Amino acid sequence: MRLSGERFEELTFAIAKEILATLPPDLRAEAETVMLEIEEAPAPEQGRNLLGLYEGVPLVERHADSTLLQPDRITLFQRPLEAMARTEAELRRQIRRTLIHELGHFFGFDEDELRRRGWG
């Protein structure tokens, strides 16, 4: 399934808003500081099937003196996500799953823990 960049962005930000609304207020406040970006595809060295990427310092690894950190960032990759879906409903589910997975990294979960929770 292929969407215009504008439609994909619209869908992604609507899903992100839905996810944030389900978080407890303290976690929502933290998650709202994460920048959400969309790229068409990952860089070749990242692998062409990468769906999303969290870049930053997970909350559990921060210290009181962690004041000059770069902004946390989640990037979703449109083309690999679209390749996994035949319908917009399937694409919505995959975007949601990927956003939750990357937010899990922001909160400090590793890949094993994310898989155990069904967010792998």
Side-chain angles (χ1 to χ4, degrees):
M1 137 154 271
R2 298 276 301 222
L3 297 179
S4 69
E6 184 177 294
R7 176 65 183 141
F8 186 87
E9 183 175 311
E10 180 181 289
L11 197 61
T12 299
F13 282 92
I15 293 166
K17 187 175 179 178
E18 292 168 8
I19 292 168
L20 289 173
T22 67
L23 295 174
D26 57 332
L27 295 180
R28 182 179 323 124
E30 294 289 351
E32 286 175 340
T33 67
V34 178
M35 295 173 52
L36 177 57
E37 298 181 347
I38 297 167
E39 295 287 337
E40 189 170 315
E45 64 272 8
Q46 294 173 310
R48 64 181 204 185
N49 296 323
L50 185 64
L51 304 177
L53 179 65
Y54 165 69
E55 297 173 282
V57 177
L59 286 178
V60 297
E61 295 178 16
R62 296 183 186 190
H63 307 287
D65 61 350
S66 298
T67 56
L68 297 176
L69 298 174
Q70 293 291 322
D72 292 280
R73 176 184 334 252
I74 291 175
T75 304
L76 292 189
F77 300 106
Q78 183 175 348
R79 295 298 174 232
L81 284 161
E82 289 173 334
M84 297 186 72
R86 291 174 300 181
T87 66
E88 190 168 303
E90 287 178 7
L91 181 58
R92 287 182 62 84
R93 283 190 295 276
Q94 191 57 54
I95 291 169
R96 179 179 175 74
R97 181 182 175 109
T98 303
L99 277 171
I100 290 170
H101 179 97
E102 300 308 331
L103 275 172
H105 287 310
F106 168 69
F107 289 124
F109 297 118
D110 64 17
E111 292 294 333
D112 290 336
E113 181 64 21
L114 289 167
R115 272 192 290 282
R116 279 194 295 277
R117 292 174 178 264
W119 303 329

